[in-house]
Amino acid sequence: MLKRSIQVRLFQYANQRMDKLVIQGGSQLSGTVSASGSKNSALPLMAGTLLCGDGEIVLQRIPDLKDIRTFSKLLDYLGADLSYHNSSLKISTSNIRSITAPYELVKQMRASIYVLGPLLARFGQASVSLPGGCAFGPRPINLHLMAMEKLGASITIEKGFIEANLRSKRLKGAEIDFPISSVGATGNTLMAAVLADGVTTIRNAAVEPEIETLCRFLSAMGANIQGIGSTTLIIEGVTSLTPATFSNIFDRIEAATLLTAGAITGSSITVNDVDPVQLTAVLGKFEQAGCRIITDTDSITLQSPETLLRTDIIANPYPLFPTDMQAQWIALMTQAEGTSYVIDKVYHERFNHIPELNRLGAHIEINDNEATIHGPKELTGTKVMSTDLRASACLVLAGLVAKGVTEVLRVYHLDRGYERIEEKLGRLGAAIQRESYQEFA
Ligand code: EPU
C-alpha cells in the first residue's frame, strides 16, 4: 500500500512541467526598454472597484502578470465582470454575489486581503481567508484588523477565515494611528473609510506612491481625501462612488531591477516611461556605487563605471530604499569592490536569495537582518531557484554576469511580478531564454 502511494506521488511530481530562464552570462547590454505598469499599485486599484456598484471602471496600464490574473479570478469569483485588452482592464462590480475570498485564491496571493475593506464598506460583511505563511518570514495582518474594528466592524477568526460584520448600518469614521507604516493596512483602511459615515483620520499612513495612486483613484470616483501623499490622511466619507477611467503608475521596482541589470553587466541602458522622482533613493545609491545617472521627465539612463564601488543600503518604507529592491542590490554588490552591508528593516528574514547567490560563487554572510557581501567575486553559472519574486529577480541578475550558463528554475515566482522580463532583457542584448522543463521532487 505504502509503495503504491509513493509510486503515485513520484508519477505526479514527474509530470510537473515548469518554466525556467536559461541565461548565458557575460553579455554587454545597451539600448532602451519601457517600464510596465505597477503590480503593487494595480492590485489595490482593482480592489477599489468593489466600492463602486454602478457602471464600468477602466484601469489603464495594468501589467499582464500572474498576480493580476489571480486578483482578477478573485473578483470574478465575487461576481465582478472583467475584460482585459492592451493593458486596459474593464471591471464592473454591479453584480457582486459573494462576500467570501476563498483560501484557494488567497493562499496564492496575500494581497487578496485588499478586498476586506471594500467588501465591508459596501456590503457590511466580508469573509476573507487568512493568507497563511509567506516565503520570507512573518507577515501579520493585525493592523488591517485593528483599523476595521476601529471603523466599527466586529471581527472574529473562524476556521481560518476573517469574519467581519458591521455593528451599525455603515462603517463609522474613526481616528486610526498606525504604530508602524504599512502599505496594505493603509490601503485597506482608506478603501473602507471612503464609504464610512463621518471623518476618518489615518496617522502614520504609508506614503508609498502606490498609496498616493490609490488616493487619486478613489478621488476620481468621488471620494473626499485630504493630505494625499502625506502621513496624515483625512477622509470624509461619502455614500456612493461613481465609475472612472484611471491610469496606473509605472512599476518602480521593475524599472530599478532593469537598471540593476545595466549596472551589474557594466553597461549603459535607458528605462523609459518612468517617474525618476519615485526612485530617488535607489538612484542615489547607484550614484554612490559609481554609476552615472541621467534623468529626464520620464526616463532614466544608467551608465556604469569601470569599477563598481561598495555601497551599503538599509531597506525601509518609502521614500527610503525599498525592501523590494534589497535582493537585487545584494546581487549587484557581489560585483562591487570591497565589503558592503545590507540591512532590511521591513522584513527581517527576507534573505532566501543568499544561499543561492553563494552557490553561484558569491561570498555573503547573514547575521539577523544584515547581509555582509564580500566583493567582487566571479560568479559561475549553475541551476538555482528561489521561493519568492524578488529573490528570483536577484538570481536572474546574477546569471547575467555569471560565467557560463545559469538556469533560474521555477520562473512562476518571477512571473508574479515581472511582465516578460526575458523579452525586455533580451531586447537590451542579454542572452536569455525561457524553456519548459520537468521538475522532479
Ligand atoms: N505589518 C504588520 N502588521 C500588519 C501589516 C504589516 O506588522 O497588519 C508589518 C509587516 O510585517 C512589515 C511591515 O509592516 O514588517 C510593512 O508591511 P506592509 O504592510 O507595508 O507590506 P504589504 O502591504 O503586505 C506591500 C507590497 C510588498 C512590499 C511591502 C513593503 C503589495 C501587494 N505588496 O506589502 O511587495 O514588500 O508592501 O513595501 O503591495 C513584492 O512586490 O515583492 C512585495 C512583497
Side-chain angles (χ1 to χ4, degrees), residues 39-41 43-44 67 109-111 113-114 134 136 138-145 180-186 206 208 210 252-253 316-318 322-324 345-348 350 388-390 417:
K39 160 183 91 76
N40 288 348
S41 170
L43 296 170
D67 274 7
M109 194 185 57
R110 302 181 62 84
I113 186 78
Y114 270 132
C134 171
F136 52 81
R139 290 180 72 185
I141 49 155
N142 57 313
L143 301 177
H144 300 243
L145 303 188
I180 55 172
S181 174
S182 162
V183 178
T186 302
E208 268 69 4
E210 294 74 23
R252 60 195 168 101
I253 304 302
N316 259 311
Y318 192 83
T323 171
D324 293 344
K345 289 203 169 171
V346 181
Y347 297 116
H348 293 200
R350 194 179 198 176
D388 79 80
L389 166 60
R390 307 303 171 188

Side-chain angles (χ1 to χ4, degrees), residues 175-255:
E175 302 267 317
I176 292 161
D177 286 87
F178 285 123
I180 55 172
S181 174
S182 162
V183 178
T186 302
N188 234 335
T189 309
L190 252 172
M191 290 190 276
V194 292
L195 289 186
D197 182 16
V199 175
T200 299
T201 305
I202 306 178
R203 295 205 180 78
N204 199 18
V207 293
E208 268 69 4
E210 294 74 23
I211 291 295
E212 185 173 337
T213 305
L214 177 61
C215 288
R216 288 194 293 102
F217 171 55
L218 296 171
S219 302
M221 292 200 294
N224 184 350
I225 307 170
Q226 306 295 318
I228 295 176
S230 78
T231 54
T232 303
L233 295 170
I234 300 168
I235 306 115
E236 188 169 346
V238 295
T239 48
S240 63
L241 298 178
T242 49
T245 294
F246 187 81
S247 190
N248 187 21
I249 52 171
F250 83 106
D251 195 313
R252 60 195 168 101
I253 304 302
E254 186 214 21

Side-chain angles (χ1 to χ4, degrees), residues 75-89:
L75 291 178
D76 175 68
Y77 179 90
L78 297 175
D81 294 312
L82 300 102
S83 66
Y84 183 70
H85 185 63
N86 269 349
S87 307
S88 188
L89 182 59

Side-chain angles (χ1 to χ4, degrees), residues 29 33-36 251-265 269-272 286 302 325 328 397 400 418 421 424-425 428:
L29 309 187
V33 277
S34 289
S36 294
D251 195 313
R252 60 195 168 101
I253 304 302
E254 186 214 21
T257 303
L258 291 167
L259 291 170
T260 313
I264 203 168
T265 54
I269 64 158
T270 298
V271 182
N272 272 344
F286 277 126
L302 177 144
M325 268 301 293
Q328 300 89 314
L397 294 172
L400 293 176
Y418 289 92
I421 194 169
K424 291 197 183 185
L425 290 171
L428 291 171

Side-chain angles (χ1 to χ4, degrees), residues 48-55 57 92-94 122 195 221 241-244:
T49 64
L50 286 168
L51 291 163
C52 174
D54 179 28
I57 292 165
S92 162
T93 64
S94 310
R122 185 164 148 211
L195 289 186
M221 292 200 294
L241 298 178
T242 49

Side-chain angles (χ1 to χ4, degrees), residues 393-412:
C394 145
L395 296 175
V396 170
L397 294 172
L400 293 176
V401 78
K403 226 170 74 193
V405 175
T406 301
E407 295 189 12
V408 181
L409 307 182
R410 299 200 177 184
V411 171
Y412 61 85

